[in-house]
Amino acid sequence: RLQTVALLPNDDASTGVERAFQAREIALRNLLARYRGKRLQRDHLRFLRPEPEYISGLESQVEEILRAPHPLAMKQATDALRWRWLEELTIGNYFSFNTLVIYRLKLLILEKHAAYNAEAGQAALERLLTSKLANVNMSELLNADQQSG
């Protein structure tokens, strides 16, 4: 059963702790979708999922996350919020299966952060730039630059 525990909300939640975490995760993702939809002036309703419960104070926490200086800092702040939730869920769950579920969720967060590294980011940027530059017609670019100058 531990193998099915995931950070992404799913219908396989088998414990109260997992359901509580997923309820918070759904509320977080819905709020992020609302903010992104508003910022991009796009319809966000198709991305929303029914929220099992209201999470007090979540909106101000998300607003703080969105003020992060760059996307990686936003991801780190979001995962720090998830970690705090797991710490809260630990209360009263010291020697039970729920303890293992919390531990697994924390490990999944740590695995995500271990995947972030400068070399992989640089390689991804270079691949993106190479693919974008391959589609650029340099003569058109130079002509447009000469016409504007």
Side-chain angles (χ1 to χ4, degrees), residues 14-68:
S14 61
T15 69
V17 163
E18 191 176 2
R19 283 188 293 277
F21 180 81
Q22 286 191 9
R24 293 174 185 192
E25 184 67 20
I26 289 168
L28 172 65
R29 288 171 179 268
N30 282 350
L31 197 50
L32 288 170
R34 285 185 189 102
Y35 277 106
R36 285 184 186 125
K38 185 177 179 181
R39 182 174 48 89
L40 299 172
Q41 298 177 345
R42 295 204 176 145
D43 181 30
H44 64 277
L45 296 177
R46 64 188 171 113
F47 298 106
L48 301 183
R49 295 181 60 177
E51 293 182 28
E53 64 182 70
Y54 173 76
I55 309 300
S56 177
L58 183 59
E59 191 164 333
S60 63
Q61 292 170 323
V62 168
E63 287 171 355
E64 184 177 330
I65 288 168
L66 294 173
R67 286 192 292 270

Side-chain angles (χ1 to χ4, degrees), residues 68-118:
H70 51 81
L72 179 57
M74 290 174 74
K75 287 181 179 188
Q76 290 170 332
T78 304
D79 283 339
L81 176 60
R82 291 179 177 115
W83 195 277
R84 286 193 302 273
W85 290 344
L86 292 169
E87 288 294 315
E88 291 172 11
L89 292 171
T90 301
I91 298 170
N93 289 298
Y94 302 109
F95 302 106
S96 67
F97 184 73
N98 284 329
T99 307
L100 296 175
V101 170
I102 293 166
Y103 187 73
R104 166 127 171 107
L105 289 167
K106 285 181 174 182
L107 285 176
L108 291 171
I109 291 171
L110 292 173
E111 284 178 0
K112 272 181 27 180
H113 284 271
Y116 303 143
N117 65 57

